[in-house]
Amino acid sequence: MKALAGGYAQARDLRHALDLLGQADGMGRVLAGGQSLIAAMNMRLTSGDLLVDISRIAELRGVALDGGWLRIGALTRHAEIGRDALIARHAPLLTRAVGHIAHSAIRNRGTIGGSLAHADPAAEFPACVLALEAVLHLDGPDGRRDVAAEDFFLGVFETAIEEGEILTGISVPVAQDGERHVLREAARRSGDYALAGLCLLRRTAGHRLAAFGVGPCPILARGAMEKLDHGDIDGAVAALSGEIDPPGDTQASAAYRRHLAGVLLRRALSDLEGEQS
Ligand SMILES: Cc1cc2nc3c(=O)[nH]c(=O)nc-3n(C[C@H](O)[C@H](O)[C@H](O)COP(=O)(O)OP(=O)(O)OC[C@H]3O[C@@H](n4cnc5c(N)ncnc54)[C@H](O)[C@@H]3O)c2cc1C
């Protein structure tokens, strides 16, 4: 099947992109790497929109240190994130996530902004930014605004991005000395979306645990985090089981995904111990 597109416009810069979206009367769709959007259009899951291509907007690309924050442009590609030295040093969770996302052709085109805006419940980056306490930057008809990752993901493929808005980038607090980051997931084949996955951070202030593939959007497992802070691993596994809401489908039952989440938590904890030795 071929995609049905009403029109296409390439934006010169962010202002131009926002103007194009504003003129599209609610029918504009942002095109970044196209790895999810074009697939959806080919399957006729979406059609008749004006595609506003933001892929050549230089100001939305790149990684920079800004005080205690790492600023990552929305158009930074998965592969660029995977080899960026600043990210490897200050937010290694993102580096680790890249190896689990699809395969090289998709990693060479897909962007972190596209992944976050698409908000697939089984995607890695949404759970990473939740665990990392990132802030997402939006620009739109009413100006700029920042949204905490905890308030950004609202449901299956649903985010806090409003009509006419563009995600311009994210800011991630830089890892403190001794901070550890681990990502664990289970997928049927390498590069498939995860059946279940976890991002686990150990900071001086405590643990951060975000789960993906086990609910309508990434889930911050606060109960499990508290148990981990008290060294209660069995309690954390039990708490996590109560905090997730896994789907059942042809890939795996809900019960199997719930079981997997507990197994992954124990493995992630042993990864953390291994990192410290
Ligand atoms: C076969 C296959 C396997 C995959 N496996 C995985 C996987 O294992 N894990 C994983 O995480 N992902 C996976 N993906 C998805 C991939 O990571 C995509 O690159 C990503 O989800 C979307 O990024 P993109 O830049 O291509 O966005 P696009 O496809 O261009 O856009 C996706 C959506 O986000 C919107 N959007 C994009 N950028 C912005 C922005 N800056 N502001 C506002 N809205 C925006 C678009 O309008 C669209 O609705 C897979 C994709 C394919 C085709």
Side-chain angles (χ1 to χ4, degrees), residues 29-39 54 74 78 100-103 106 109-111 113-115 117-118 122-125 161 165-168 191-194:
R29 293 294 298 272
V30 174
L31 175 65
Q35 298 306 294
S36 296
L37 181 57
I38 300 300
I54 62 168
H78 305 340
H100 293 278
I101 300 176
H103 44 81
I106 288 165
R109 297 291 313 169
T111 65
S115 175
H118 187 56
E124 286 80 3
F125 282 149
I161 300 178
E165 284 189 320
I166 292 177
L167 175 64
T168 56
D192 279 3
Y193 275 107

Side-chain angles (χ1 to χ4, degrees), residues 113 115-120 126 129 134-168 216-218:
S115 175
L116 298 173
H118 187 56
D120 190 301
V129 300
V135 174
L136 292 89
H137 308 297
L138 300 170
D139 208 336
D142 299 325
R144 294 181 185 166
R145 67 188 180 106
D146 292 341
V147 180
E150 287 187 34
D151 301 322
F152 185 78
F153 302 103
L154 304 180
V156 181
F157 302 122
E158 197 191 341
T159 71
I161 300 178
E162 289 182 0
E163 195 176 303
E165 284 189 320
I166 292 177
L167 175 64
T168 56
C217 53

Side-chain angles (χ1 to χ4, degrees), residues 3 15 23 29 31 51 53 62 127 130-131 136 151 165 171 226 253 265 268:
R15 186 72 262 152
Q23 290 155 17
R29 293 294 298 272
L31 175 65
L51 293 183
D53 185 348
L130 187 58
L136 292 89
D151 301 322
E165 284 189 320
S171 291
E226 200 182 320
S253 67
L265 179 53

Side-chain angles (χ1 to χ4, degrees), residues 14-236:
L14 182 57
R15 186 72 262 152
H16 187 210
L18 292 170
D19 288 345
L20 287 166
L21 284 178
Q23 290 155 17
D25 222 9
M27 294 297 283
R29 293 294 298 272
V30 174
L31 175 65
Q35 298 306 294
S36 296
L37 181 57
I38 300 300
M41 292 181 71
N42 284 338
M43 288 187 276
R44 302 274 169 100
L45 297 173
T46 178
S47 66
D49 304 320
L50 170 71
L51 293 183
V52 177
D53 185 348
I54 62 168
S55 64
R56 297 204 187 160
I57 303 180
E59 65 197 283
L60 297 185
R61 197 176 289 285
V63 181
L65 254 188
D66 180 8
W69 295 83
L70 199 56
R71 166 86 193 215
I72 305 172
L75 283 181
T76 311
R77 293 184 169 146
H78 305 340
E80 292 168 336
I81 287 182
R83 56 176 180 257
D84 188 274
L86 283 175
I87 293 180
R89 177 154 181 220
H90 298 295
L93 184 66
L94 293 173
T95 312
R96 276 166 208 167
V98 172
H100 293 278
I101 300 176
H103 44 81
S104 344
I106 288 165
R107 298 201 285 255
N108 284 335
R109 297 291 313 169
T111 65
I112 188 165
S115 175
L116 298 173
H118 187 56
D120 190 301
E124 286 80 3
F125 282 149
C128 289
V129 300
L130 187 58
L132 289 165
E133 291 184 276
V135 174
L136 292 89
H137 308 297
L138 300 170
D139 208 336
D142 299 325
R144 294 181 185 166
R145 67 188 180 106
D146 292 341
V147 180
E150 287 187 34
D151 301 322
F152 185 78
F153 302 103
L154 304 180
V156 181
F157 302 122
E158 197 191 341
T159 71
I161 300 178
E162 289 182 0
E163 195 176 303
E165 284 189 320
I166 292 177
L167 175 64
T168 56
I170 64 168
S171 291
V172 180
V174 302
Q176 293 146 10
D177 281 348
E179 187 170 319
R180 307 284 166 195
H181 297 187
V182 167
L183 188 147
R184 269 277 180 178
E185 72 171 52
R188 288 209 172 268
R189 297 169 307 183
S190 166
D192 279 3
Y193 275 107
L195 296 176
L198 296 176
C199 299
L200 177 62
L201 268 57
R202 181 175 286 162
R203 292 175 167 159
T204 323
H207 292 83
R208 299 274 303 173
L209 178 65
F212 55 100
V214 288
C217 53
I219 294 168
L220 188 66
R222 293 177 192 282
M225 282 157 47
E226 200 182 320
K227 297 285 182 193
L228 291 176
D229 289 347
H230 290 93
D232 179 1
I233 295 174
D234 291 339

